[in-house]
Amino acid sequence: MDPLSAASKIAGSGLEAQATRLRIVSENIANARSTGDTPGADPYRRKTITFGAELDRTAGVDLVKVQKLGTDESDFVEEYDPNHPAADERGMVKLPNVNMLIEMADMREANRTYDANLQTIKQTRELVAATIDLLKSGQ
């Protein structure tokens, strides 16, 4: 496979991976205050994503793939709110283990990486178009 096609394929896999990452971060942000349905029940647990490299044998390049979707096993935050429907007998409500600062940082990084991959694809297309133009003018 030629280097320009390989670059596009690699960047495309990066786009897919970062789009999945943005979806996971969005779910975490949307559920940052989602408590359990019953007193003492566990709330939403933060989701995590792990990437890995996967060899594309036809292209001969390593592509970015989502290796694993998991959950963050860190402790839940407890807050005293005896009037909350999910409060236990002590008046404590378990809140999700979602840290908004971490989620916003992840979202910003995923967004930048997505943009970088998109720019790589755009520049690759421009190089292909310029090469075709050069070949046409040489005839």
Side-chain angles (χ1 to χ4, degrees):
M1 179 173 271
D2 68 279
L4 293 177
S5 296
S8 289
K9 196 161 187 128
I10 293 167
S13 72
L15 284 175
E16 286 181 37
Q18 294 307 321
T20 303
R21 183 179 182 190
L22 284 168
R23 183 181 55 81
I24 295 298
V25 169
S26 297
E27 287 178 22
N28 288 340
I29 290 171
N31 288 292
R33 299 289 295 175
S34 298
T35 60
D37 295 334
T38 59
D42 285 346
Y44 174 84
R45 187 170 288 280
R46 178 179 181 263
K47 293 182 181 178
T48 60
I49 186 168
T50 306
F51 299 116
E54 183 177 290
L55 178 65
D56 181 335
R57 294 188 193 288
T58 58
V61 295
D62 284 332
L63 303 178
V64 180
K65 293 292 181 186
V66 173
Q67 190 173 25
K68 179 183 167 190
L69 295 176
T71 55
D72 182 347
E73 296 299 321
S74 64
D75 293 335
F76 295 119
V77 176
E78 287 191 333
E79 184 177 277
Y80 182 73
D81 186 358
N83 296 323
H84 195 284
D88 62 14
E89 64 280 349
R90 300 174 296 132
M92 300 302 284
V93 179
K94 290 182 188 176
L95 298 175
N97 58 347
V98 175
N99 181 328
M100 290 301 285
L101 289 174
I102 291 171
E103 299 307 322
M104 294 307 288
D106 278 354
M107 180 177 281
R108 187 173 178 173
E109 183 181 336
N111 224 350
R112 287 185 173 178
T113 306
Y114 186 93
D115 287 342
N117 283 304
L118 193 57
Q119 287 302 317
T120 299
I121 290 173
K122 286 179 182 178
Q123 289 178 348
T124 302
R125 286 183 179 169
E126 289 173 10
L127 283 170
V128 169
T131 302
I132 291 171
D133 289 344
L134 282 173
L135 291 172
K136 284 181 181 177
S137 66
Q139 291 180 354

